[in-house]
């Protein structure tokens, strides 16, 4: 079964039987539930729809748009657009919400609906659960012929997104232009190839785009991890570039390649941007439990306080608002800068990272060495329908909770903090797996810690 229903939306592989995969009937059902939920508080009767370039994107978006019109909503179709562009478009259009058709970093056979509120932010846990309950009841009322919604195409939001990035006070466009950066970008055959050339042109950056055509037929596994990025790493090392830039299909995650062709480390995307922000504005930071300790170290070095949240963008933004954080995000390369909006945004991350690099006059590898050095191992345990994940996590908590020097956090799965390392086990919201992330001072130590806990879990099944 590859249809995953969660508070963050509906995600699955394309085709197959109803209820088992992502198909038109389930898309109609879930979209109708979302529209029913939005109707309780909506005023404009407008919904924004944007999509990445996945092969199935046009089909899914057409079903979504038609369903929304059938529910009496006017649809603003912004076409091929990044997730952050769609989030901003909801606000700018003064819409009641938005639906993003994207499965983010999942392979080509997957797609998903990500659901936004009137602020252009992901639904809260309670709101997401209410949408799921409405979908389960199939309690929908469609519009009669005189009250059907209207359909409008508006392709102006990519330009507005770029303009908003350039207008951010801490984006030093002049310094970036004067640095004469030469970069190579892996756009992974999606919307990065549509919008990033325009952003880099506006910043005066010379660039080469790999996998530029937005066909949705990804040239490699789209998750921006080192094991998937051999092509751009070789290109940067051989081409005399200052930097490699890597995004995922919906351009909310961001990773960099150093000028020597080595990974900068996706965990250090947020760390670097946060350090730059904190150089100019004093304040606190937030990341999720699976992110590097380096953000905590950098925050405390600047006199601020670091806070951890449960995994998931909405959990990070909720915590950021609660503590008034000036910067936050996720260690998967997700930068959330409230000066722009409360959403992961690779365009904002690129502009701020380049600003830091230009102002400090450092190479990427030199900038990386200014931060504490940690290594995160990312492993996974594939689940069977019979796996009782909750019971396993309870046993892990009980097993390690009695050890001296171990801090246990259970707001999202189980995280075990040791004095010099940590490991975090949690059930994924987007795939049928347990994610096992672990961090230590070397990759070997981090991987050994993660696999030790994996062995513990396997022994419990």
């Amino acid at each position: 079964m590859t249809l995953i229903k969660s508070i963050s939306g509906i995600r699955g592989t394309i085709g197959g039987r109803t209820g088992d995969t992502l198909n038109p009937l389930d898309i109609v059902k879930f979209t109708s539930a979302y529209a029913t939920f939005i109707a309780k508080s909506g005023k404009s009767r407008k919904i924004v729809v944007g999509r990445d370039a996945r092969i199935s994107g046009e089909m899914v978006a057409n079903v979504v748009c038609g369903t929304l019109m059938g529910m009496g909503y006017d649809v603003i179709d912004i076409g091929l657009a990044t997730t952050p562009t769609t989030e901003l478009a909801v606000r700018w259009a003064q819409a009641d919400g938005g639906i993003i058709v994207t499965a983010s970093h999942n392979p080509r056979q997957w797609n998903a609906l990500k659901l936004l509120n009137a602020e252009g932010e992901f639904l809260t846990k309670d709101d997401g659960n209410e949408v799921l309950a409405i979908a389960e009841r199939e309690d929908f009322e469609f519009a009669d012929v005189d009250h059907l919604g209207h359909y409008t195409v508006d392709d102006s939001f990519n330009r507005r997104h770029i303009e908003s990035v350039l207008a951010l006070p801490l984006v030093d466009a002049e310094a970036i232009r004067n640095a004469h950066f030469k970069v190579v970008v892996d756009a992974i055959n999606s919307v990065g190839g549509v919008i990033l050339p325009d952003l880099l042109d506006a910043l005066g950056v010379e660039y080469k785009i790999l996998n530029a055509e937005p066909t949705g037929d990804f040239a490699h596994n789209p998750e921006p991890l080192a094991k998937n990025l051999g092509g751009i790493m070789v290109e940067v090392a051989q081409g005399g570039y200052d930097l490699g830039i890597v995004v995922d299909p919906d351009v909310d995650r961001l990773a960099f390649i150093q000028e020597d062709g080595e990974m900068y480390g996706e965990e250090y995307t947020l760390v670097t941007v946060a350090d730059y922000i904190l150089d100019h504005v004093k304040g606190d930071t937030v990341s999720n439990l699976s992110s590097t300790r380096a953000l905590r170290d950098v925050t405390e070095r600047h006199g601020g306080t670091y806070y951890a949240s449960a995994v998931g963008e909405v959990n990070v933004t909720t915590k950021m608002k609660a503590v008034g954080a000036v910067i936050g995000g996720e260690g998967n390369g997700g930068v959330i800068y409230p000066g722009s909006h409360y959403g992961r945004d690779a365009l904002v991350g690129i502009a701020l990272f380049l600003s830091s690099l230009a102002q400090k006059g450092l190479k990427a590898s030199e900038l990386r060495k200014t931060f504490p050095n940690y290594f995160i191992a990312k492993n996974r345990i594939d689940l069977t329908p019979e796996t009782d994940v909750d019971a396993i996590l309870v046993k892990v908590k009980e097993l390690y909770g009695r050890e001296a020097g171990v801090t246990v956090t259970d707001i999202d799965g189980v995280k075990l903090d040791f004095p010099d390392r940590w490991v975090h086990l949690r059930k994924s919201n987007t795939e049928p797996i347990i994610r096992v992330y672990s961090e230590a001072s070397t990759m070997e130590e981090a991987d050994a810690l993660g696999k030790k806990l994996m062995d513990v879990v396997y022994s419990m099944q």
Side-chain angles (χ1 to χ4, degrees):
M1 182 173 180
T2 52
L3 185 65
I4 301 172
K5 303 173 185 178
S6 72
I7 61 168
S8 56
I10 182 171
R11 180 180 303 238
T13 54
I14 296 298
R17 298 183 63 83
T18 305
D20 287 337
T21 57
L22 189 65
N23 58 75
L25 286 179
D26 283 308
I27 295 167
V28 169
K29 177 179 174 179
F30 205 82
T31 302
S32 300
Y34 169 72
T36 300
F37 168 78
I38 289 294
K40 297 193 308 178
S41 57
K43 299 176 182 177
S44 70
R45 302 296 295 183
K46 289 189 294 187
I47 300 290
V48 172
V49 177
R51 68 179 179 93
D52 70 14
R54 288 173 180 274
I55 295 169
S56 61
E58 184 176 14
M59 179 276 288
V60 176
N62 285 342
V63 176
V64 167
C65 292
T67 302
L68 290 172
M69 293 167 65
M71 292 292 292
Y73 275 91
D74 293 337
V75 174
I76 304 173
D77 185 353
I78 67 173
L80 290 174
T82 74
T83 282
T85 303
T86 309
E87 292 169 345
L88 288 165
V90 170
R91 281 176 24 195
W92 290 331
Q94 296 182 313
D96 291 333
I99 295 180
I100 312 168
V101 179
T102 174
S104 191
H105 63 273
N106 286 87
R108 65 197 288 277
Q109 69 269 28
W110 288 77
N111 215 326
L113 311 181
K114 293 184 177 181
L115 309 178
L116 305 175
N117 62 22
E119 298 300 317
E121 299 170 13
F122 290 115
L123 301 185
T124 65
K125 180 178 180 179
D126 289 344
D127 289 346
N129 282 332
E130 186 169 348
V131 172
L132 290 175
I134 294 170
E136 188 67 25
R137 295 194 303 269
E138 298 191 17
D139 185 17
F140 319 134
E141 183 174 349
F142 295 96
D144 62 36
V145 70
D146 294 316
H147 296 91
L148 295 174
H150 298 91
Y151 177 79
T152 303
V153 175
D154 189 339
D155 62 1
S156 68
F157 292 101
N158 284 346
R159 174 183 52 79
R160 293 182 66 176
H161 188 180
I162 292 170
E163 290 173 351
S164 74
V165 172
L166 297 176
L168 294 172
L170 291 184
V171 171
D172 194 339
E174 182 178 2
I176 294 172
R177 293 188 189 100
N178 292 337
H180 303 291
F181 288 122
K182 181 181 178 183
V183 307
V184 59
V185 178
D186 187 344
I188 194 57
N189 306 107
S190 193
V191 291
V194 176
I195 196 169
L196 292 185
D198 291 340
L199 173 68
L200 295 173
D201 282 337
L203 291 170
V205 175
E206 182 182 348
Y207 59 87
K208 176 179 181 179
I209 308 289
L210 304 179
N211 307 316
E213 290 298 317
T215 62
D217 196 6
F218 306 139
H220 56 77
N221 185 307
E223 189 163 14
L225 303 177
K227 63 183 180 181
N228 303 325
L229 301 176
I232 187 173
M233 293 171 75
V234 170
E235 179 74 27
V236 172
Q238 296 179 347
Y241 295 97
D242 297 297
L243 193 67
I245 299 173
V246 181
V247 294
D248 65 342
D250 66 327
V251 196
D252 62 354
R253 288 176 61 175
L254 174 64
F256 294 106
I257 313 295
Q258 298 173 173
E259 79 288 344
D260 57 6
E262 296 298 315
M263 288 291 295
Y264 188 84
E266 67 167 346
E267 288 286 333
Y268 284 83
T269 298
L270 174 59
V271 174
T272 303
V273 171
D275 180 67
Y276 174 70
I277 297 296
L278 294 172
D279 278 339
H280 295 82
V281 179
K282 300 303 178 185
D284 301 330
T285 66
V286 173
S287 66
N288 67 45
L289 288 170
S290 284
S291 301
T292 179
R293 281 184 180 175
L295 181 60
R296 178 200 66 182
D297 295 349
V298 165
T299 303
E300 292 176 352
R301 187 172 72 193
H302 283 281
T305 301
Y306 164 77
Y307 297 90
S309 78
V311 174
E313 184 172 323
V314 68
N315 297 316
V316 176
T317 57
T318 299
K319 189 69 173 180
M320 288 177 69
K321 293 174 184 179
V323 303
V326 297
I327 185 70
E330 298 184 292
N332 61 8
V335 174
I336 302 173
Y337 181 45
S340 175
H341 64 119
Y342 279 102
R344 297 183 303 184
D345 192 328
L347 277 73
V348 170
I350 290 168
L352 293 173
F353 189 97
L354 291 176
S355 296
S356 179
L357 210 59
Q359 286 189 6
K360 294 175 180 177
L362 298 175
K363 296 179 179 179
S365 61
E366 294 170 339
L367 182 59
R368 175 64 178 79
K369 290 176 182 177
T370 65
F371 302 116
N373 209 27
Y374 296 106
F375 295 85
I376 289 185
K378 298 183 178 182
N379 292 293
R380 56 186 279 171
I381 299 171
D382 292 316
L383 302 177
T384 66
E386 295 75 31
T387 304
D388 189 340
V389 178
D390 294 334
I392 288 172
L393 295 179
V394 168
K395 290 179 181 178
V396 170
K397 177 182 174 181
E398 292 173 349
L399 182 62
Y400 285 90
R402 296 186 293 269
E403 283 196 16
V406 179
T407 301
V408 178
T409 305
D410 61 359
I411 61 172
D412 184 8
V414 175
K415 183 176 184 181
L416 308 174
D417 271 293
F418 302 89
D420 60 346
R421 64 194 68 192
W422 58 259
V423 61
H424 186 201
L425 293 83
R426 60 177 293 273
K427 185 178 180 180
S428 171
N429 289 327
T430 59
E431 298 177 76
I433 62 174
I434 294 177
R435 299 193 186 277
V436 183
Y437 287 8
S438 49
E439 183 175 68
S441 57
T442 69
M443 181 56 77
E444 292 75 17
E445 291 174 331
D447 194 49
L449 176 61
K451 288 178 177 174
K452 177 182 177 181
L453 267 293
M454 290 172 69
D455 288 339
V456 171
V457 171
Y458 287 135
S459 71
M460 295 177 178
Q461 295 189 48

